[in-house]
Amino acid sequence: MIPCGDFIFHRASGPCKGNFALPREQFHGKEKAMSTTTLKEKLLRLLRSPHYEPQDASGLARALEIDAKERPALRELLKELEKEGVLIRLRQQRYTLKSVSEEPLCGRLRGGVKGKLYFQPDADSLVKLYRELGLGAEASPIELPVTPNRSLDALPGDKVLVSVRQAVPPHHRRGRKMRPDARDLHPEARVLEIVERKLKLWTGIYRAGGLYGFVQGDGFATPEKIRLSEPPPAGLLAGMCVTVSPERYPLGNMDATGHIEQVLGWPDDAGVDITRIMHRYALRDEFPSDVLAETRKFPHTISEQELAGRDDWRNRCVLTIDPIDARDFDDAISVHRKNQGWELAVHIADVSHYVRPGSATDREARERGNSTYLPDRVLPMLPPTLCDDICSLREGEERLTCLCLLRIGADGRTEKATFRKAVICSRKRFAYEQVLPILEGNASCGEEEIDTMLREAHNLAQTLRRRRMQHGALNLDMPELHVLLDDMGTPVGIQQNAGDIAHQLIEECMLAANEAVAEALNAKQLPAIHRVHEAPDPAKLSALGHELRSYGLQLGALNTREELCRVAEQIIGHRDELTLKSLILRSMMRARYDAKSLGHFGLNKGNYCHFTSPIRRYADLVVHRCFARLVPKHPSPLPPIPAASTLPNLANHISETERNSAFAENEAQQAKLLQYMQIQAESATPTAWKARITETWLQGLAVEIPELRLRGFIPGETLEESGRWFYESHAHRWSCTDGRHLLPGDNLDVIPTHVNAQDKFIDFRPAVMSKA
């Protein structure tokens, strides 16, 4: 290169020798472009490095080893990238990348309260996100918010590809003094592509209007308005519930379109409310034909070949204890006193003997993930032939089992665990209601051997429970709520199943077996699905402490397990016990499945898995296939277990199906509760419920019924019937001229007066206003 006047001469080499000239301005422009491109590449490489911390222009220049002449170009480049949205300028003029991940991430959307959407990455994308955010592999799963204008009109449950960027909090102005700090940034997702839709059918209410009418959805899982592309079926009337097959999904201002697939009936017809919920959560009550054909081939009797290599427990005393309306019995126990301790045999239905990996039944069970229990029906994970018959440990019938045999000392410590395949014949089938009076010494089953076994099992269970509590397990048991229905599906009553000693008997035996299997699998380093429960977020514990103190509880910092256990014991017997337990549970992380053994915070277990319910949980079925490796001289060919690389995505899938079923069960139960409260509101002799005032306003009082987990409102005018009431805004209370007061925290009996099932809102009045 030879400078000369206004030109820069380049000497060519090779076949075409000689000199050629470029104008000086063109050369310097080309040289600047090449320099800027190189600088940009270096800068982005630095910003994307995993250990990068936000720096100002001077810090970036030093990190890039740029001399003083190139620093003006760096500052110009930073301004350009900030203007383009590639960078974010933070406080003290520090810069960071707006985009978190260069590659799109895959996962599913989850619906939250008030229509909010969250992105849940799959296992592979989660690893990438951990790496980009500088988090360790042991970090808790991440959910990223998705704002409506960045959702591409995707619906909850849809599988999507997203980009992730750092978002600036909206309260930060663009002024220099109010720029955000690095700690203020939070990642959020933007949907780039909808890979797969969750719902194949929409449900809603048919409305007249337009050419063929339209279907009104909930605006969340189902589009708010679905225009029909063809005439509706004959006999369909406005207000009826229907299912719609999608033809076009909503996008921007364009409505969704589809055609009616099925007319479900009127909203208050028997079973329609539950059917709508099933469609909303993509739950099915029918099995594919290939699955049914496969299960019909399973033998109903046990051959001698199947018995080979199994421990024979058919002549021993083995019992099942389940809910009174149960049909699938997947666990049985046998307890005997041994020296100063006990021998506990936990028999679990050997579902893995029948459901082989890759079979049609296995694929369907994996897709469902678990059974779903709705108020008027059960949606089983396995076909009825298996769950209600062949695998169910029914009284007086021979069944194949997986046996966890534990030798437990007098202090409740497991001294030895042995694992076998076995065959049993259940001696007796009990319901919890039948066992409770026997344990209390008020009844007998008529067989001394069984009575003795039940009493020893009770002694063992209480010993195990005391040991658990002494070692830091959280005692947050909540009573189970059941809505009693008649043959037409109409609610006729409400029943609460408290955690009595009969329930605790089975619970402690199953916990001991689950832990023993998990520890054995972990000791042999066998791949499996583990049940994990991470420690709660410290910020949530801090907020919980403020709420608990408002109830008059004396507590210290809730950042230690010992203090949490002390508080859990302190609230037992408190007048607001159910409310306080609910507050603590809401501050906890949600238990889930994982391919790694990360421990269980609530139980204070280092290793834990689900082993005892393979009829209704796919995680247990996977664990059973791993359990076969623990059995010496396994009687049949070992079933293959999932590859370790596939377990993270499998754990994510069954965690999501569990969550989906829980949402459906809660919504169905709430629908029946609201229906029951409507019946009570129209009754001449309604039932009064004990409620707690949560807030007070000029319009009235917000109340909560902890027993039913329902919330409602008492209008202020309903108080006037018992005196002259007025609202004192300075004290946040309602006061009466006779000296009575109503303020947050007070309890009172209430009666429902009006129920809005669509908005899930209940109006109450104080029970003292009821007419004789």
Side-chain angles (χ1 to χ4, degrees), residues 141-168:
I142 298 175
E143 289 187 342
L144 305 180
V146 181
T147 57
N149 61 325
R150 300 181 186 277
S151 68
L152 208 64
D153 290 310
L155 300 173
D158 290 349
K159 186 176 182 179
V160 295
L161 288 177
V162 305
S163 62
V164 181
R165 66 167 198 167
Q166 299 280 15
V168 179

Side-chain angles (χ1 to χ4, degrees), residues 319-324 333 428-445 450-451 453-459 461-462 495-506:
L319 312 173
T320 64
I321 306 175
D322 293 277
I324 194 168
I333 62 167
K428 188 76 173 175
R429 187 260 167 169
F430 283 104
Y432 290 113
E433 293 81 358
Q434 296 171 311
V435 171
L436 183 59
I438 297 176
L439 300 182
E440 293 175 339
N442 301 324
S444 170
C445 72
I450 295 179
D451 286 345
M453 177 182 289
L454 288 174
R455 286 192 290 268
E456 286 299 337
H458 167 62
N459 294 334
Q462 293 306 307
Q495 175 183 340
Q496 279 193 327
N497 295 332
D500 54 42
I501 55 177
H503 287 79
Q504 290 173 5
L505 188 156
I506 292 299

Side-chain angles (χ1 to χ4, degrees), residues 226-267:
I226 308 165
R227 295 192 179 277
L228 298 180
S229 60
E230 58 185 46
L236 177 63
L237 300 176
M240 283 186 168
C241 295
V242 297
T243 62
V244 179
S245 180
E247 294 179 358
R248 185 184 70 194
Y249 287 82
L251 184 62
N253 295 325
M254 294 189 299
D255 292 330
T257 61
H259 60 272
I260 292 178
E261 192 76 21
Q262 181 184 5
V263 179
L264 301 178
W266 296 101

Side-chain angles (χ1 to χ4, degrees), residues 634-678:
H634 191 272
S636 59
L638 289 173
I641 58 177
S645 59
T646 65
L647 285 177
N649 280 328
L650 176 58
N652 281 356
H653 168 70
I654 55 181
S655 295
E656 180 56 32
T657 59
E658 179 190 44
R659 184 197 295 259
N660 187 65
S661 292
F663 286 156
E665 291 167 354
N666 292 337
E667 186 171 329
Q669 184 182 76
Q670 189 175 52
K672 291 301 181 183
L673 280 173
L674 292 173
Q675 187 179 354
Y676 179 74
M677 298 304 281
Q678 181 62 51

Side-chain angles (χ1 to χ4, degrees), residues 107 128 130 234 313 322 338 465 507 509 554 624 682 690-691 707 766:
K128 297 178 184 176
Y130 282 156
W313 282 67
D322 293 277
K338 291 288 185 181
R465 186 174 180 83
E507 179 186 6
C509 292
Q554 301 296 322
H624 273 230
E682 297 170 356
K690 187 173 293 294
E707 184 181 356

Side-chain angles (χ1 to χ4, degrees), residues 8-9 36 69 214 398 400 414 545 621 627 689 749 762:
I8 302 294
F9 285 84
T36 304
K69 294 181 180 180
F214 63 94
E398 296 182 358
L400 303 179
T414 300
L621 180 55
F627 169 89
W689 302 92
D749 293 338
I762 307 176

